């Protein structure tokens, strides 16, 4: 196992030499027994993976992904309404926002404001992954031949579990995809990754294969995108609790640029650099994917005199890169100002996106869409709510719990805070959204 601690090493190996550093570790339990070989984040580097990646790129490159802005905006408006009604439940509201965004971007499906069946099916499908991805959970990952033992043997509980989980994963992939296809057929579909991809399907090529690629890529999105998006937005709230001055500055910026008559939209992005700095700082300070997804080296290589054997697992230590104090002084402080100069984003400060979304040919294909979904959520929360530490019945300030659920994606554990509308005007603007969107 090779750990890369610097952006320079990661760029040299994972990006410049990407033709040999872009595969993935074999995961017998997840890919072979649980049937997660549909998830192209775990596929080896081969032609089948390349087809998924190409298709995803067609919908998620910087210009194409702006087509998803309306989906992101609508889900964020839902978040504001929920925060107004039940602010203490903010973690669930952000979870709903992330799930709704993915389901609408991937499939163009509408979701219910609570207990939505598509989101519930997806959550049930993804949950086993969280369990099975913990290294050492299943012996079959160390001894792959165990996958051939018969299910009925007393110690083959892992095979019976895998069978159960396979079914949940299959439902997560098939149920929304079939619903999207039905909507497209009846002419009721909102635009989505699935509808765009079916539109460009080549009838003269293997249609079944092309459809499997669309279904797999869409089915990968919930697992890859919902907890990650939830995590960054929740971390931005932790950032405001740690540095209340940052929220104040962002609110002043929004008031100055937008005024009180309306709420920010994507058109305001370039006029709200401090909001952008907050998003950058959150992604740096609480990097969601601190080791990205490890890559696999396909052939022997050499770097700075070290021999790197084929089959090595290459782990980019993105956390170290994003907390390098020579680039980000006082790296454990939440300080969006580090990205600002003369009221603008300072291009001289390294953008955390250089490490936060992974590396080389496996870099997160949805990074532009993910960043814009987070940006609009932060911009609208800042515009409408005051976010402070919670206070108990005796007036004592409750320090937020600073705990994280670790895994490939790190997510803040539930914490307390106080979220209140900034003004009657803010309330009115949020209620007006409800009327317009139904
Ligand atoms: C803030 C949110 C997100 C973060 C921090 C993030 C981060 C990452 C990272 C670190 C990787 C692995 C890169 C590597 O192997 O070097 C990755 C891969 C991936 N992400 Fe994201 N991601 C986010 C949101 C999303 C969303 C919203 C989607 C889908 C809509 C998505 C889809 C994917 C896919 C499909 C891959 C696998 C790419 C491959 O293996 O070729 N991600 N992401």
């Amino acid at each position: 196992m090779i750990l890369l601690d610097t952006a320079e090493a990661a760029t040299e190996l994972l990006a410049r030499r990407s033709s040999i550093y872009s595969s993935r570790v074999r995961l017998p339990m997840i890919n072979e027994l649980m049937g997660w070989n549909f998830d192209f984040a775990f596929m080896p580097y081969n032609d089948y993976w390349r087809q998924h990646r190409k298709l995803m790129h067609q919908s998620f490159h910087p210009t194409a992904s702006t087509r998803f802005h309306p989906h992101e905006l609508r889900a964020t408006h839902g978040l504001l309404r929920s925060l107004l009604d039940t602010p203490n439940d903010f973690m669930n509201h952000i979870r709903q926002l992330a799930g709704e965004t993915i389901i609408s971007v991937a499939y163009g499906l509408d979701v219910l404001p609570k207990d939505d069946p598509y989101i519930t099916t997806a959550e049930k499908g993804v949950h086993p992954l969280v369990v099975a991805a913990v290294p050492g959970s299943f012996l079959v990952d160390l001894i792959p031949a165990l996958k051939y033992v018969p299910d009925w043997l007393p110690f083959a509980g892992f095979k019976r579990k895998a069978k159960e989980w396979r079914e949940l994963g299959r439902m997560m992939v098939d149920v929304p995809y079939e619903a999207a296809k039905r909507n497209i057929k009846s002419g009721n579909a909102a635009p989505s990754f699935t509808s765009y991809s079916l539109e460009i399907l080549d009838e003269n090529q293997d249609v079944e294969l092309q459809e499997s690629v669309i279904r797999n890529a869409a089915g990968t999105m919930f697992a890859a995108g919902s907890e990650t998006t939830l995590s960054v937005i929740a971390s931005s709230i932790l950032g405001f609790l740690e540095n209340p001055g940052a929220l104040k500055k962002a609110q002043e910026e929004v008031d100055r640029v937008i005024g009180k008559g309306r709420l920010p939209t994507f058109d305001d992005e370039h006029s709200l650099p401090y909001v952008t700095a907050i998003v950058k700082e959150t992604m740096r300070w609480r990097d969601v994917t601190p080791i990205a997804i490890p890559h696999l080296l396909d052939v022997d290589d050499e770097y700075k005199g070290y021999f790197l054997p084929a089959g090595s697992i290459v782990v980019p230590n993105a956390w170290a890169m994003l907390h390098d104090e020579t680039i980000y002084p006082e790296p454990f402080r939440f300080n969006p100002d580090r990205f600002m100069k003369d009221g603008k984003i300072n291009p001289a400060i390294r953008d955390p996106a250089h490490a936060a979304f992974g590396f080389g040919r496996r870099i997160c294909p949805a990074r532009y869409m993910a960043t814009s979904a987070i940006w609009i959520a932060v911009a609208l929360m800042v515009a409408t709510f005051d976010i402070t530490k919670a206070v108990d019945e005796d007036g004592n300030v409750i320090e937020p719990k600073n705990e994280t659920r670790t895994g490939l994606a790190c997510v803040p554990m539930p914490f307390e805070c106080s979220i209140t509308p900034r003004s009657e005007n803010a309330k009115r603007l949020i209620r007006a959204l409800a009327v317009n969107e139904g």
Side-chain angles (χ1 to χ4, degrees), residues 68 71-72 75-76 96-106 111 119 229 369 373:
F68 298 126
H71 306 58
E72 296 155 20
T76 305
Q96 168 78 16
L97 161 90
E100 179 175 342
T101 305
I102 301 286
I103 299 285
S104 65
V105 164
V111 304
I119 295 183
T229 304
M369 179 245 135

Side-chain angles (χ1 to χ4, degrees), residues 14 24 39-43 49 53 56 60 102 105 217 220-222 224-226 228-229 232 283 287-289 291-295 316 355-367 369-371 374:
L14 304 181
R24 294 285 196 220
D39 187 320
F40 86 91
F42 300 141
M43 281 181 195
W49 165 81
R53 188 80 204 187
M56 188 110 184
F60 288 90
I102 301 286
V105 164
T220 302
M221 289 179 196
F222 197 90
S226 68
T228 40
T229 304
V232 183
M283 298 205 58
D287 176 20
V288 191
T289 41
I291 55 164
I293 302 177
H295 292 216
F357 288 107
F359 302 88
R361 294 186 195 180
R362 301 297 298 230
I363 193 170
C364 179
R367 59 198 182 282
M369 179 245 135
T371 309
I374 293 163

Side-chain angles (χ1 to χ4, degrees), residues 242-243 281 284-285 320-340 346 348-350 352:
E242 165 149 329
N243 179 355
E281 178 66 345
R284 184 201 67 77
W285 180 58
M321 299 170 206
L322 294 171
H323 292 81
D324 179 341
E325 59 210 338
T326 61
I327 298 167
Y328 308 111
E330 295 188 80
F332 295 97
R333 267 190 62 213
F334 179 78
N335 175 21
D337 288 276
R338 69 174 83 244
F339 293 104
M340 299 293 292
N346 181 356
I349 307 297
R350 195 180 269 176

Side-chain angles (χ1 to χ4, degrees), residues 51-68:
Q51 290 176 42
H52 291 77
R53 188 80 204 187
K54 187 172 162 212
L55 187 71
M56 188 110 184
H57 179 73
Q58 281 162 340
S59 281
F60 288 90
H61 66 72
T63 322
S65 44
T66 58
R67 294 188 297 190
F68 298 126

